[in-house]
Amino acid sequence: MAVKKTIQLSKSEIIDKYADYCLMNGHKPASVYKFSKDNGFEEAEFYKFFTSFDSLEHFYFVEMFTYTLEALQKSPAYAEYNGIEKLSAFYFTFFEMATANRSYIIYTMEEGGRGLKNLMKLKALRTEFIQFAETVLEKPVHIENARADKLQGEALREGAWLQFLSIFKFWMQDTSPGFEKTDVFIEKSVKASTDLVYNSPLSSLLDLGKFVWKEKFTA
């Protein structure tokens, strides 16, 4: 009796096969064992990288984050950017990459109609993003009190994460050609948050507010 040969796959290849399965079938594989066998590799190969399908889904977004930073760091101009410019460049690059993988991202974020529960799939991404924001963003004021200074840093990082989530949600709902309205939203959101933290906020906040109102209530 012939012995069926198994193959060794990279982490990225396993992720791609998992995403393909979900999109082709509209649901997760029944088990890691069946998924592995159907794709010609041993179950142990899967567990070299992931503990479950849930951990794979979490890593999917971390991988996007890593690829985004690697792409940015290859550009000589990126090193010369200030913190806000680096954050803005991250948004544009990340969502350009997200658009190339839109079908799977929409699937996994809307899976089972679980709404907020699916946000937990971004938990590992949040950790990476928070560290990135802490690295690039400068605190608006110098505070001698250590506790107050720490709170200022936390507010800055959490504010950036909430901004990312708002862009993520807007992108998921964007129906404009080439998702061009997401680009506009990124520009206005970054400008408004920059003014709110570092400059005079009123004009940019009004501009962002008018854009959101137009898209949500008059489209």
Side-chain angles (χ1 to χ4, degrees), residues 90-136:
F90 174 87
Y91 290 150
F92 282 114
T93 306
F94 183 92
F95 286 102
E96 180 180 356
M97 188 175 300
T99 296
N101 299 276
R102 184 175 174 86
S103 293
Y104 175 71
I105 293 174
I106 296 296
Y107 160 79
T108 194
M109 295 307 297
E110 295 182 348
E111 182 201 1
R114 295 186 298 175
L116 290 176
K117 287 186 178 179
N118 283 332
L119 283 177
M120 290 301 295
K121 297 177 182 181
L122 303 180
K123 183 178 180 180
L125 170 62
R126 179 185 181 278
T127 299
E128 299 294 331
F129 180 87
I130 290 291
Q131 292 176 352
F132 165 71
E134 183 176 28
T135 300
V136 301

Side-chain angles (χ1 to χ4, degrees), residues 12-30:
S12 295
E13 288 171 330
I14 292 176
I15 289 173
D16 288 343
K17 288 185 179 298
Y18 175 79
D20 286 342
Y21 180 96
C22 291
L23 292 175
M24 293 298 293
N25 294 278
H27 58 78
K28 294 180 180 181

Side-chain angles (χ1 to χ4, degrees), residues 162-197:
L162 290 176
Q163 181 180 64
F164 173 85
L165 288 180
S166 71
I167 298 169
F168 193 94
K169 182 178 180 181
F170 189 95
W171 171 81
M172 287 183 62
Q173 298 174 343
D174 190 0
T175 58
S176 63
F179 307 100
E180 57 191 22
K181 287 183 179 179
T182 295
D183 289 344
V184 176
F185 185 76
I186 290 173
E187 291 176 358
K188 293 183 180 297
S189 181
V190 170
K191 179 66 165 63
S193 63
T194 301
D195 283 350
L196 181 63
V197 175

Side-chain angles (χ1 to χ4, degrees), residues 56-70:
L56 183 154
E57 291 174 347
H58 286 221
F59 183 80
Y60 184 91
F61 291 102
V62 173
E63 193 85 332
M64 284 184 60
F65 173 89
T66 301
Y67 285 156
T68 298
L69 279 193
E70 287 177 351

Side-chain angles (χ1 to χ4, degrees), residues 3 18 20 30 47 55 59 87 120 150 155 172 181 203 211:
V3 177
Y18 175 79
D20 286 342
Y47 290 121
S55 70
F59 183 80
L87 186 64
M120 290 301 295
K150 180 181 178 181
M172 287 183 62
K181 287 183 179 179
S203 61
F211 176 76

